[in-house]
Amino acid sequence: MTKVLVIGGGGVFGAHLVAGLVAAGFEVVIAGRRLERLAPLAARLGERVTAVGLDTATVSPAGLQATGAAIVVDAAGPFQGAEPRVARATIAAGLHYVDLADARDFVAAFPVLDEDARRAGVVALTGCSSTPALSNAVLDDLTRGWTEIVSVEAGISPGARAPRGLSVMQATLSWLGRPVRVFEDGGWTVRPGWSGLHRRDMGRGGRRWLSLSETPDLDLFVERFRPRRSARFLAGLQPSVAHLATWMLGRVVRLGLLDPRGFPGALLSLGRLFSWSGDDRGAMRISAYGRDAQGRAAMASWRLVAEPGEGPVTPSLPALAAIKAIAAGRVTPGARACVGLLSLDALETEIAAHPIATERITTRGALFARAIGADFDRLPQAIRDLHETPGDSLWRGEADVVGAEGPVARLIARLFGFPGTRQRCPVTVAVSADGDRSLWRRTMGDALFSSMLEKPRPGGRVTERFGLLAFDLILTPSPTGLRYDVGGWRIGPIRLPPALAPRTTTSEQVDAEGRFVFDVDLGLPWGDRLVHYRGWLTRDATGAGPEQCPMPVARRSGRAVLSDRPR
């Protein structure tokens, strides 16, 4: 029978780990600075559990060996800014080591122990918790076989009445409102901790507010999955008022008006005042966006919802799975983060023993593909490529443009940024897609106008927004192309009369050279033209800026006309 020493076995996460180890047949020694607090817990858990007094500040190899344990677990924390003192002593004692560290700096520095661990023939794993062990195992599963990863994100939101230990509060306050290095828009930048207010669907846990959190995943996601655009880890609090109050506290910290690190206990007490009104279920959400094994844009997510009181179990389960793997001899010696070692199947086996539900959701990562359904895959390749390229892409081509006619149309066209009359005008279209929305920035000469496509719905329906104006589009595919019709329009939430809607004739096709061809004719309901542009696009990977258009074409009989076909 393998004996495991759990330092911090009387804490929020450590106690759950001890219970899991006992249920799995391990002999357990729980350790902490105050033996009198641990002895009753050991007595309740049965004869296979004993308690010893141990201070991590003075831990020694001999002291660890004296416990008779083969595996040492550090579940005490906080790990932010800490030295791996326990890990060093454990390796020096010739014992295996596991911890539940979620500190970015601690996990990043841990591999310096690798040579010593290999020489001693022992396993030392850090981060055997919800982050980074579980989050990385989920992404390994979701993105298996993918040809490209554009963005990844993890989010965690404990239940309102979940116990929050002092070490957890100390860890959060160490980075709240302070600079956090994060990968965004294809490069590294700095954002304040707990900044941003993101609303995320946590399944049965409802929609919750999340903000930027500093965890090891901010580095490991980029290192392991190489996302082209972004990698984020978000955290939230229940109820929403507690989350928003913490977000505001972060802004106060950024202004230099307060340093809350000195009174974590007071903030814990304050947080309990709000707990009565929030959802008591813990929730976690991991998502990825990119191209699947078939080269199609894809979105995949994994969600976990723990019933009331079960949320604190989750961080202990990767440690339990890691200990089982070490005891079975399935992990090679060395010191490293606990990523790429545990499969999601193994972790979900541990999760299934508790009232915790998980689900996987995989959908097409292109708006038009979700709206149109199976007929999207029968569209010409050039049309599918433009609407299904994930992330940021640049498309370049040429168009003939006929500008607005009539004073009212010219005023509206100017407000929207529509181009005036041009012939053979170089065009660039920058598309920024995240799977849920797609921003199109069109440049035709000195004219720049943008719109946002969003809210795909069955029946070929999507919404296109120009500022406050929103148009409900109906997409009709055919083997030769795609037609757009307007099914309704609004200003903000107010639905407007269909009879006053702008008229439109819009289509996409492919020319003899295989290029994407567009033909967009917009006008006022009484007939005056707003703009009519027709041309072609191909993808441009250079990222060069737009050219300027030539002078307007000459007019014929007082009206500009489009050429018969795009050049």
Side-chain angles (χ1 to χ4, degrees), residues 367-368 415-416 418 432 434 436-442 449-457 461-473 484 486 488-494 522 533:
L367 298 176
F368 282 21
L415 291 174
F416 280 88
F418 292 149
S432 182
D434 66 7
D436 291 317
R437 301 189 303 172
S438 183
L439 175 62
W440 288 46
R441 299 181 181 90
R442 306 167 182 86
F449 58 107
S450 304
S451 67
M452 180 73 76
L453 290 160
E454 59 185 6
K455 299 179 181 178
R457 304 177 299 283
R461 295 178 178 271
V462 298
T463 297
E464 184 169 22
R465 286 195 297 106
F466 294 84
L468 291 176
L469 280 179
F471 297 88
D472 294 324
L473 303 180
Y484 294 57
V486 176
W489 68 311
R490 301 180 305 281
I491 181 167
I494 303 172
L522 301 175
Y533 52 91

Side-chain angles (χ1 to χ4, degrees), residues 114-122 333:
D114 185 57
E115 185 177 343
D116 290 342
R118 290 177 183 274
R119 189 183 301 115
V122 299

Side-chain angles (χ1 to χ4, degrees), residues 352-376:
H354 302 272
I356 302 173
T358 64
E359 62 177 337
R360 290 176 178 83
I361 303 168
T362 302
T363 62
R364 296 291 292 270
L367 298 176
F368 282 21
R370 295 210 298 278
I372 295 171
D375 285 340
F376 178 84

Side-chain angles (χ1 to χ4, degrees), residues 46-406:
E47 61 182 15
R48 290 205 313 263
V49 180
T50 57
V52 299
L54 189 149
D55 189 343
T56 57
T58 58
V59 67
S60 67
L64 295 175
Q65 289 173 334
T67 66
I71 302 172
V72 175
V73 181
D74 188 352
F79 294 93
Q80 280 76 6
E83 289 293 322
R85 183 179 293 108
V86 177
R88 289 186 189 279
T90 302
I91 293 170
L95 307 176
H96 301 299
Y97 170 88
V98 165
D99 70 39
L100 279 68
D102 62 357
R104 186 179 187 178
D105 56 343
F106 187 93
V107 172
F110 197 80
V112 301
L113 304 176
D114 185 57
E115 185 177 343
D116 290 342
R118 290 177 183 274
R119 189 183 301 115
V122 299
V123 176
L125 299 178
T126 187
C128 301
S129 189
S130 302
T131 168
L134 177 56
S135 52
N136 276 263
V138 171
L139 282 176
D140 284 335
D141 187 88
L142 293 181
T143 63
R144 185 170 292 115
W146 281 23
T147 57
E148 180 185 20
I149 298 175
V150 174
S151 60
V152 294
E153 180 183 282
I156 190 165
S157 175
R161 287 169 288 284
R164 294 179 176 89
L166 188 62
S167 63
V168 173
M169 178 58 73
Q170 290 171 330
T172 301
L173 294 180
S174 70
W175 48 260
L176 180 71
R178 293 175 173 81
V180 173
R181 188 168 176 262
V182 62
F183 188 75
E184 289 182 358
D185 298 324
W188 290 97
T189 188
V190 173
R191 295 281 183 263
W194 213 270
S195 62
L197 288 173
H198 307 274
R199 195 77 161 164
R200 293 292 183 265
D201 182 1
M202 310 298 275
R204 290 168 55 197
R207 294 183 63 81
R208 300 190 180 186
W209 289 111
L210 303 174
S211 296
L212 175 63
S213 175
E214 182 161 61
T215 76
D217 284 328
L218 294 180
D219 295 319
L220 291 169
F221 283 171
V222 179
E223 176 186 325
R224 300 190 69 243
F225 300 101
R226 303 293 180 187
R228 177 157 55 88
R229 177 190 279 178
S230 64
R232 288 191 293 197
F233 196 101
L234 309 174
L237 292 174
Q238 279 290 296
S240 294
V241 64
H243 183 91
L244 297 174
T246 306
W247 177 79
M248 292 177 65
L249 178 60
R251 296 185 68 86
V252 172
V253 173
R254 288 159 57 185
L255 294 173
L257 301 177
L258 178 68
D259 186 350
R261 289 177 292 185
F263 40 93
L267 290 173
L268 274 175
S269 299
L270 186 62
R272 295 187 185 104
L273 295 177
F274 298 109
S275 64
W276 63 271
S277 63
D279 192 326
D280 202 24
R281 290 174 293 189
M284 187 173 185
R285 179 181 183 270
I286 314 292
S287 61
Y289 170 54
R291 289 188 186 273
D292 63 16
Q294 288 73 44
R296 303 181 307 185
M299 296 173 62
S301 62
W302 179 90
R303 297 190 299 214
L304 174 152
V305 177
E307 291 303 311
E310 295 295 324
V313 176
T314 306
S316 72
L317 298 179
L320 178 59
I323 291 167
K324 289 180 178 179
I326 292 171
R330 297 196 300 268
V331 186
T332 58
R336 55 207 182 272
C338 188
V339 295
L341 298 173
L342 303 174
S343 70
L344 181 57
D345 286 342
L347 293 172
E348 286 188 324
T349 297
E350 302 296 345
I351 291 170
H354 302 272
I356 302 173
T358 64
E359 62 177 337
R360 290 176 178 83
I361 303 168
T362 302
T363 62
R364 296 291 292 270
L367 298 176
F368 282 21
R370 295 210 298 278
I372 295 171
D375 285 340
F376 178 84
D377 291 326
R378 291 187 276 274
L379 287 169
Q381 183 70 46
I383 296 177
R384 284 186 281 124
D385 286 346
L386 190 140
H387 290 295
E388 199 171 30
T389 298
D392 301 322
S393 58
L394 182 67
W395 305 81
R396 192 182 297 278
E398 189 177 88
D400 292 336
V401 184
V402 178
E405 59 180 354

Side-chain angles (χ1 to χ4, degrees), residues 401-404 413 418-420 444 449 520-523 529-533:
V401 184
V402 178
F418 292 149
M444 297 182 184
F449 58 107
V520 180
D521 188 1
L522 301 175
R529 181 180 59 244
L530 286 171
V531 68
H532 185 186
Y533 52 91

